Amino acid sequence: MRKILLPFSLIYLFITAIRNVLYNKGIFKSYSFSLPVIVIGNLSTGGTGKSPMTEYLIRLLKNNYQLATLSRGYKRKTNGFVLADSKATAETIGDEPYQFYTKFSDITVAVDADRVNGVNKLLSLNNRPDVIVLDDAYQHRRLKAGFYILLTAYSDLYADDYLLPAGNLRESGAGAKRADVIVVTKCPPALTPNEQEDIIKKLKPIKGQKVFFSFIGYDDHVCSEAGKIAVNEVKVMPKILVAGIAKPKPFFEYVKGNNDIIKPYPDHHDFTEKEIAELRAIADNRIIITTEKDYMRLKGKIPAGKLYYLPIKTVFLNNSGQFDKTILDYVGKSTANSRIH
């Protein structure tokens, strides 16, 4: 199938390469800003861990800076710029931004498909942010960020992939040159230094480009508005596992036990009334365990005592201090923030 689709990938390569050249030459205009703007993104389509990386940066920065996140708001049912407030839902701002808003009450969360317009709107607020973090904006070339974090999954490195439609790449591996740091995500926790070096050689970072390695850390409890349950207890309970994410297998493997009902859905799945009714019906004598993103879409539609989610976070295999310092140095050296240091 890949061989059949390769000619179409060559057409896609030509189009994306021309677009990047036009931006690189300044023929297509890019807009930059005086305050620190950090972009998290990837070269492939989904499944690299952008949400936990965004949350990692939120935790790193929010205590010292007025922080805002700006997302597209994928699959939301609104248009234009929307600022999250007490009336926000997954339908109005998207599941991931709603997750950020729910978990971090001391930051500003906004969505706008036009990232340049979104940044300008944030800068016009009374509580103007000191730092803006954009998730999934690596290909949004109209906005020129000050710092780019490129994610690539261990099991699906961009160096091993093909362009759409033969593969999963949105643009060629040459796009990695725009990154300030590259993070290989979803690694095995026991990945050895020699294995890390082999991956670095495969990625071929340019001079000055740092490569880090991380894995997804799963919590030892599942959570709900009704409370928490230890994962070792959950494994032996009758349950339904629900996931509407790009690569759900590790989630299922972490919490599943014998005789579980496993319900995978497409990434960012918008659950229909029929599907929710089905989940309620088969959950008569079971609890439902889902991902945090799916919980944001299902919360309020399934009784709180029946619905739980598994928290996750980005954990660096090594050199987390160096990664933190790289980010903090970039933000701290910004002239826009010199007044508060």
Side-chain angles (χ1 to χ4, degrees):
M1 181 60 71
R2 283 185 184 272
K3 290 180 180 178
I4 293 171
L5 294 174
L6 273 175
F8 298 97
S9 292
L10 292 174
I11 296 171
Y12 191 86
L13 171 63
F14 177 76
I15 293 170
T16 55
I18 290 296
R19 177 179 179 270
N20 280 328
V21 166
L22 292 174
Y23 273 110
N24 293 341
K25 298 288 186 181
I27 297 170
F28 284 176
K29 187 174 181 180
S30 295
Y31 297 84
S32 58
F33 299 88
S34 60
L35 83 168
V37 176
I38 302 173
V39 160
I40 300 168
N42 51 24
L43 298 182
S44 63
T45 54
T48 56
K50 293 184 295 293
S51 293
M53 178 56 71
T54 301
E55 292 191 1
Y56 186 97
L57 292 188
I58 291 171
R59 294 186 179 98
L60 179 65
L61 296 169
K62 70 183 183 68
N63 292 333
N64 294 314
Y65 299 95
Q66 181 67 38
L67 182 67
T69 64
L70 178 63
S71 309
R72 174 186 172 188
Y74 185 61
K75 284 198 172 182
R76 63 187 170 114
K77 297 178 180 178
T78 56
N79 296 306
F81 178 82
V82 179
L83 189 67
D85 58 20
S86 60
K87 297 179 181 179
T89 66
E91 286 75 25
T92 61
I93 61 173
D95 52 8
E96 291 165 339
Y98 185 51
Q99 179 177 318
F100 304 151
Y101 177 75
T102 302
K103 293 178 74 171
F104 304 102
S105 59
D106 49 352
I107 72 168
T108 301
V109 175
V111 295
D112 197 335
D114 183 342
R115 308 306 204 284
V116 173
N117 181 68
V119 171
N120 282 322
K121 291 283 189 182
L122 286 170
L123 295 181
S124 69
L125 298 175
N126 290 331
N127 59 333
R128 184 181 187 273
D130 300 313
V131 187
I132 299 176
V133 176
L134 289 84
D135 68 322
D136 201 14
Y138 199 81
Q139 282 76 36
H140 201 88
R141 298 295 308 273
R142 281 189 68 241
L143 183 143
K144 186 176 181 180
F147 197 93
Y148 288 88
I149 300 173
L150 177 63
L151 308 183
T152 184
Y154 167 82
S155 61
D156 193 19
L157 298 172
Y158 61 78
D160 296 331
D161 208 346
Y162 296 87
L163 276 166
L164 292 166
N168 297 314
L169 294 183
R170 299 170 174 175
E171 61 174 307
S172 75
K177 294 177 181 179
R178 299 199 303 275
D180 293 279
V181 300
I182 300 169
V183 181
V184 182
T185 62
K186 301 185 177 183
C187 296
L191 191 68
T192 67
N194 285 340
E195 290 170 324
Q196 293 177 36
E197 281 300 320
D198 289 341
I199 292 172
I200 291 173
K201 290 176 183 176
K202 184 178 288 189
L203 297 180
K204 299 177 181 178
I206 62 174
K207 185 177 181 181
Q209 214 171 39
K210 300 175 183 177
V211 180
F212 297 90
F213 295 83
S214 70
F215 63 93
I216 295 296
Y218 292 103
D219 204 301
D220 55 5
H221 287 76
V222 295
C223 303
S224 167
E225 293 177 352
K228 295 183 177 181
I229 307 174
V231 169
N232 58 0
E233 294 179 30
V234 165
K235 286 186 175 182
V236 298
M237 296 173 67
K239 58 188 177 294
I240 306 165
L241 303 182
V242 175
I245 57 176
K247 297 174 182 177
K249 185 178 178 181
F251 161 74
F252 290 142
E253 292 290 335
Y254 186 76
V255 293
K256 77 175 182 179
N258 296 326
N259 303 314
D260 288 342
I261 298 172
I262 297 178
K263 303 283 287 184
Y265 295 90
D267 196 15
H268 295 280
H269 183 63
D270 186 10
F271 293 90
T272 65
E273 291 184 8
K274 182 179 178 181
E275 289 167 336
I276 291 169
E278 179 193 12
L279 289 174
R280 283 176 174 168
I282 61 178
D284 182 48
N285 61 344
R286 297 171 183 262
I287 60 170
I288 298 172
I289 309 296
T290 190
T291 70
E292 198 163 3
K293 284 198 294 186
D294 293 302
Y295 182 81
M296 296 300 153
R297 293 191 295 274
L298 291 170
K299 185 170 65 170
K301 300 174 183 177
I302 291 174
K306 286 285 187 181
L307 183 66
Y308 292 79
Y309 69 88
L310 177 67
I312 64 173
K313 62 181 178 180
T314 290
V315 182
F316 285 90
L317 272 74
N318 44 38
N319 299 327
S320 61
Q322 184 183 2
F323 178 85
D324 293 356
K325 185 177 185 302
T326 301
I327 301 298
L328 292 171
D329 283 351
Y330 160 67
V331 174
K333 290 176 181 177
S334 166
T335 55
N337 282 291
S338 61
R339 65 183 184 282
I340 62 173
H341 287 286

